[in-house]
């Protein structure tokens, strides 16, 4: 497995990484690996499954939701 070295990382970012790692009971290195994995390999499908879940719940409610594009366009034209 390859190594990665990050340089010029701000103290604020390192502090946030340490805090997040502690919340998940991981080392900062393991937390960074998790963040990279989540961002690059897994997040897309998980995010869309959540969107579909919300869409299906709203669709099954029997309510009708109009496309908001027309309302946004109308608001911009004012």
């Amino acid at each position: 497995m390859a190594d990665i070295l990050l340089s010029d990382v701000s103290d604020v970012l390192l502090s946030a990484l340490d805090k997040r790692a502690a919340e998940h009971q991981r080392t900062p290195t393991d937390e960074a690996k998790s963040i990279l994995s989540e961002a690059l390999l897994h997040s897309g499908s998980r995010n869309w499954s959540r969107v579909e879940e919300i869409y299906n719940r709203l669709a099954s409610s029997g309510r009708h939701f109009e496309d908001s594009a027309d309302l946004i366009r109308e608001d911009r034209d004012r």
Side-chain angles (χ1 to χ4, degrees), residues 9-21:
V9 178
S10 72
D11 291 338
V12 173
L13 186 58
L14 285 176
S15 177
L17 179 63
D18 286 339
K19 181 180 176 187
R20 183 170 162 163

Side-chain angles (χ1 to χ4, degrees), residues 20 37-39 41-53:
R20 183 170 162 163
S37 176
E38 188 176 310
L41 302 176
H42 304 294
S43 67
S45 61
R46 191 178 69 236
N47 289 341
W48 280 113
S49 67
R50 179 73 176 128
V51 169
E52 286 184 17
E53 176 186 324

Side-chain angles (χ1 to χ4, degrees), residues 25-72:
Q25 298 177 341
R26 298 178 181 146
T27 66
T29 300
D30 286 339
E31 188 64 26
K33 288 178 194 177
S34 176
I35 292 168
L36 284 171
S37 176
E38 188 176 310
L40 300 175
L41 302 176
H42 304 294
S43 67
S45 61
R46 191 178 69 236
N47 289 341
W48 280 113
S49 67
R50 179 73 176 128
V51 169
E52 286 184 17
E53 176 186 324
I54 293 169
Y55 175 82
N56 290 333
R57 188 177 69 229
L58 291 173
S60 68
S61 72
R63 294 175 58 196
H64 174 70
F65 297 94
E66 296 182 21
D67 186 356
S68 62
D70 293 333
L71 295 172
I72 293 170

